[in-house]
Amino acid sequence: MAPYESDDNTNEDLRTGRRKAARYVVPVAVLGVAAATIGLVPAFAGSGDPDLPDITAQQLIEKIAASDVQQLSGTVKISTDLGLPNLGGLESSLGGMGGGGDDSGSSADPSSKLLELASGTHTLRVASDGEDKQKLSLLDKAAEYSVIHNGDEVWAYDSASNEAYHMKDSSGAAEKGTKGKADDVPATPKELADEALKAADDTTSVTVDGTAQVAGRDAYKLLIKPKASGSTVGAISIAVDSKTGLPLKFTLTPASGGAAVIDAGFTKVDFSKPAASTFDFSPPKGTKVTEGDEAKAEGPADRAQPKGGEDLGEEFQGLNVIGEGWSSIAQFDTGGEGMPSESSGAGDAGRFLDSLGDQVTGKFGSGTVFSTRLVNALITDDGKVYAGAVTKDALVKAANAAK
């Protein structure tokens, strides 16, 4: 058996393989990674791990790309620990500054409901039967929240509030911005893996890190790490099903160490065809139903966007990207005067915001760094913002260099 291609592969061989893989799910940019960047190191099983044929990182990435799993059902456990502060007192601290405005939209609207996945530990049930039938259910004690796509019908149902949200999956709905709301938040290992692989360029080390067993399936482990310092990302591990190429588990650990920032993986998975009834839905009697085109025009997700539908780059006076790869920093000018603070006379609201960030100074003047375990943002007193999955020192350095 020839376990993997030798290091002497021609560039034409690699280009041919990448052109074939580009027809599938993984972005073309991922498959354009040079062979020198991808570690051509075969996987070796450790003690107790499944003994699988050797494979290179290039071959494993192409295996993910060629994966065409159409039918599955299973249970996914996802844990997220961004190290966000407890914002339970935000509304009372901000008083009448709009921290708790009334929202008449449906509690079943996917655009806000699935954001719950951004913190804590959650259990999801997923099912798929081709492109036209999917179901995702978020389980929470005695309640359940589900998004069901069946043909041109999309339903979201919140059993806790007995509310449903209904929309049509069609080109017209897409133009109105209703299509795909349920897909805005990556929730499965595959979706998270696709996002991570988009960042794989010549600033990235990609190797095979042995084997594992996930949800009773034998898997290879793909290890992705930034080459340079300055990023808050330590490493990303993706467990890839050895037979289907489907990512079964995704783990992102921070450069600072400690628990994973994101850990999402199947605990059960079945690749047989789900029962047709899985994708059937009719609102229970007494359910409050909100139609997509009747929903409040300015829901939580919409309020975060610039008024008038302008692009963020236009609204914030020129969005720039400083650096490349994992250490890149987004920089833009709000045109304002930075964050309110106690020293600027903002009172309790300013005191609360001061407590969330670290005050810094430099050639740029002064500002506040707001930190999580993954993404940090510096807002200077003259209204400029620097943000990225980089350290506080990297943000300060970028702000100094911009002067």
Side-chain angles (χ1 to χ4, degrees):
M1 175 186 65
Y4 57 94
E5 299 178 11
S6 72
D7 292 358
D8 295 328
N9 284 335
T10 65
N11 289 334
E12 182 60 31
D13 290 336
L14 290 175
R15 284 195 295 269
T16 301
R18 287 195 289 266
R19 282 197 298 269
K20 179 180 178 182
R23 298 199 308 266
Y24 299 94
V25 177
V26 177
V28 175
V30 175
L31 301 167
V33 179
T37 301
I38 299 176
L40 294 175
V41 181
F44 296 99
S47 177
D49 293 329
D51 186 9
L52 297 173
D54 299 335
I55 194 170
T56 68
Q58 177 75 20
Q59 292 169 332
L60 189 52
I61 285 178
E62 293 187 0
K63 190 176 186 70
I64 297 172
S67 178
D68 191 27
V69 174
Q70 296 289 319
Q71 299 171 335
L72 68 79
S73 57
T75 303
V76 174
K77 182 179 179 181
I78 178 169
S79 297
T80 309
D81 181 9
L82 289 170
L84 293 171
N86 183 355
L87 300 181
L90 176 60
E91 184 173 339
S92 59
S93 298
L94 294 181
M97 295 185 65
D102 175 63
D103 178 20
S104 60
S106 171
S107 68
D109 187 342
S111 63
S112 58
K113 186 67 177 180
L114 292 183
L115 290 178
E116 292 180 14
L117 299 178
S119 63
T121 298
H122 303 275
T123 300
L124 305 174
R125 277 205 301 258
V126 298
S128 177
D129 184 6
E131 296 182 356
D132 296 329
K133 293 184 179 182
Q134 297 95 31
K135 181 176 181 179
L136 183 150
S137 297
L138 173 60
L139 310 182
D140 184 13
K141 298 179 182 178
E144 180 174 321
Y145 175 80
S146 296
V147 179
I148 306 102
H149 173 209
N150 192 344
D152 63 353
E153 298 284 332
V154 178
W155 284 94
Y157 176 66
D158 186 356
S159 67
S161 63
N162 198 27
E163 292 191 26
Y165 186 90
H166 176 242
M167 50 191 155
K168 289 286 187 179
D169 180 16
S170 64
S171 58
E175 291 171 1
K176 294 178 182 178
T178 57
K179 181 181 178 182
K181 280 188 175 182
D183 300 325
D184 290 343
V185 181
T188 66
K190 185 183 186 313
E191 292 168 346
L192 291 163
D194 286 347
E195 291 300 312
L197 287 171
K198 288 177 184 177
D201 56 16
D202 58 6
T203 68
T204 309
S205 167
V206 185
T207 57
V208 179
D209 189 34
T211 64
Q213 192 167 79
V214 178
R217 306 279 301 186
D218 291 346
Y220 294 104
K221 293 191 296 184
L222 188 69
L223 186 65
I224 302 171
K225 299 177 69 174
K227 286 184 177 181
S229 61
S231 174
T232 54
V233 176
I236 293 173
S237 177
I238 302 172
V240 182
D241 187 69
S242 62
K243 293 186 180 298
T244 67
L246 180 75
L248 298 174
K249 186 175 176 64
F250 174 97
T251 304
L252 187 156
T253 53
S256 59
V261 174
I262 302 172
D263 187 38
F266 281 97
T267 57
K268 295 179 181 179
V269 66
D270 184 346
F271 293 105
S272 59
K273 180 183 178 70
S277 59
T278 302
F279 311 101
D280 293 338
F281 179 80
S282 296
K285 185 176 180 179
T287 300
K288 176 186 175 183
V289 178
T290 300
E291 294 294 333
D293 57 358
E294 296 175 3
K296 188 176 180 181
E298 203 173 304
D302 299 318
R303 285 196 296 270
Q305 301 300 321
K307 292 183 179 180
E310 295 94 346
D311 182 85
L312 276 174
E314 297 174 0
E315 177 73 9
F316 292 117
Q317 301 181 16
L319 179 64
N320 300 314
V321 177
I322 302 170
E324 62 177 354
W326 301 90
S327 299
S328 61
I329 297 171
Q331 185 272 328
F332 57 87
D333 190 345
T334 66
E337 297 181 353
M339 293 294 294
S341 64
E342 184 178 12
S343 60
S344 67
D348 289 342
R351 187 178 304 110
F352 176 77
L353 292 172
D354 285 346
S355 70
L356 298 180
D358 297 327
Q359 305 304 307
V360 294
T361 59
K363 294 179 181 178
F364 56 87
S366 59
T368 306
V369 174
F370 296 91
S371 301
T372 72
R373 299 178 68 217
L374 185 62
V375 178
N376 295 322
L378 165 62
I379 303 178
T380 64
D381 288 348
D382 61 357
K384 291 183 174 57
V385 178
Y386 301 82
V390 297
T391 63
K392 179 173 72 173
D393 290 344
L395 293 176
V396 171
K397 182 178 180 180
N400 282 334
K403 285 297 180 181

